[in-house]
Structure formats: C-alpha cells, structure tokens
Amino acid sequence: MRIYMQTQPAAAESPRYYEIVLQQDLLGGWTLYREWGQQGGRSSSKREVYLERDDALNAFAQARDAQVKRGFRVVFSQGLEAPHVR
C-alpha cells in the first residue's frame, strides 16, 4: 500500500510532500516506511516494523490521518483495500 501527499505550494516555495508505504516482508511481518520533505530539497525518513497486519494497518491509517489534519492532501494512492480506508 502506498499514499503520496502534498501541501499546496506557497508563492516562492516548493510544496512539501509526505509518502507512506506499507509492505509485507519475507518473514510475514510488516514494514511501514515514511518519507517527508520539501520537493527538490532535503528529505527525512522513518521505518517501523510490525508483526501483525492489523497493527501495521492502524499505524498506516494514523500516519495518513495525522498528515491530512496538517493540511496535506492525497495526490496518489495505490493498493488500498476498501475496508481499511476511512
């Protein structure tokens, strides 16, 4: 699953972005990757590992919802299953 979000660009600045990716690993666990920054500039990233699918999906949804509250809007989403999308 993947979501790419952006803020509205200010007059003299590039938009900020936030990307969230959830992938299952080879051992059955789940990894949540987050990357954020200014387009064309520096970025930061974070990785979290979850053993249970439901825990990973909840973390994914919380990360998404937190960024939407901060003014990001979804530009691209891939692999979202209907029961897990709010």
Side-chain angles (χ1 to χ4, degrees), residues 9-40:
E13 293 183 0
S14 298
R16 292 180 302 138
Y17 73 93
Y18 201 96
E19 183 174 23
I20 309 167
V21 178
L22 181 62
Q23 294 180 335
Q24 188 172 21
D25 63 27
L26 296 175
L27 301 175
W30 294 83
T31 304
L32 180 66
Y33 299 96
R34 304 180 203 197
E35 183 179 330
W36 63 92
Q38 193 98 17
Q39 281 194 323

Side-chain angles (χ1 to χ4, degrees), residues 43-60:
S43 66
S44 298
S45 63
K46 183 177 181 179
R47 181 182 70 142
E48 299 172 55
V49 177
Y50 296 89
L51 298 178
E52 300 295 327
R53 181 179 188 261
D54 288 340
D55 293 338
L57 288 171
N58 286 334
F60 184 89

